[in-house]
Amino acid sequence: MRRIAFIIAIFCIALIIILMHSLPIVSISSVDELDELELKTRVFISGVVDGEREFGEFRILEVNGVTLTCECPGKYLGKDINVMGIVGEFNGKKQVNVLRMNYQNI
C-alpha cells in the first residue's frame, strides 16, 4: 500500500512541475504593463537597473519603473539585466519577485 501511495505522490509532483513550466511568460517593458497583469503571472523584463536599495542579501531594483525584489548578492546599479519573475504585490503596489536573473556590465 505504501508503494502505491509513493508512486501516486511522485506522479502528482511531476504533473505539477509540468504544469508550472507550461504557463506562458509575458514580456513587459513598463510599469503600466505590469499593472494590467494578474498576480502570480510569470513575466520577463530586460533593461538597465536605474535604482538599487539593499537590505543585507535582499535587494530592491528599479528597471524601467518596475520594482524587482530578489535575494541576490552583488551590485547591479547600471547593469543591463534580463529577469524572469512572478508578479506579486506589496503595500498595494505590484512588483516582480525575481526567479532568475542574468546581467551584463554596460
Side-chain angles (χ1 to χ4, degrees):
M1 191 65 164
R2 288 184 183 174
R3 288 183 181 157
I4 294 172
F6 180 72
I7 291 170
I8 291 172
I10 295 297
F11 176 75
C12 290
I13 290 170
L15 183 64
I16 289 171
I17 290 172
I18 290 170
L19 289 175
M20 282 181 49
H21 287 290
S22 66
L23 293 174
I25 299 174
V26 178
S27 181
I28 62 172
S29 59
S30 70
V31 72
D32 296 330
E33 294 175 15
L34 179 65
D35 289 336
E36 296 173 4
L37 297 175
E38 294 183 22
L39 296 177
K40 299 184 181 177
T41 302
R42 288 182 8 171
V43 295
F44 177 80
I45 302 169
S46 63
V48 177
V49 177
D50 300 324
E52 177 178 11
R53 292 175 286 181
E54 67 177 279
F55 305 96
E57 291 286 315
F58 182 76
R59 298 197 183 284
I60 299 175
L61 309 172
E62 293 285 330
V63 176
N64 300 331
V66 177
T67 302
L68 309 173
T69 60
C70 69
E71 292 183 28
C72 45
K75 305 282 184 191
Y76 299 97
L77 190 62
K79 293 184 179 179
D80 187 23
I81 64 171
N82 297 315
V83 172
M84 184 171 60
I86 296 179
V87 176
E89 189 172 26
F90 181 73
N91 286 340
K93 290 186 174 182
K94 289 191 178 174
Q95 63 185 17
V96 175
N97 301 320
V98 175
L99 296 174
R100 215 176 297 161
M101 177 168 53
N102 298 324
Y103 65 91
Q104 297 176 355
N105 290 326
I106 298 179

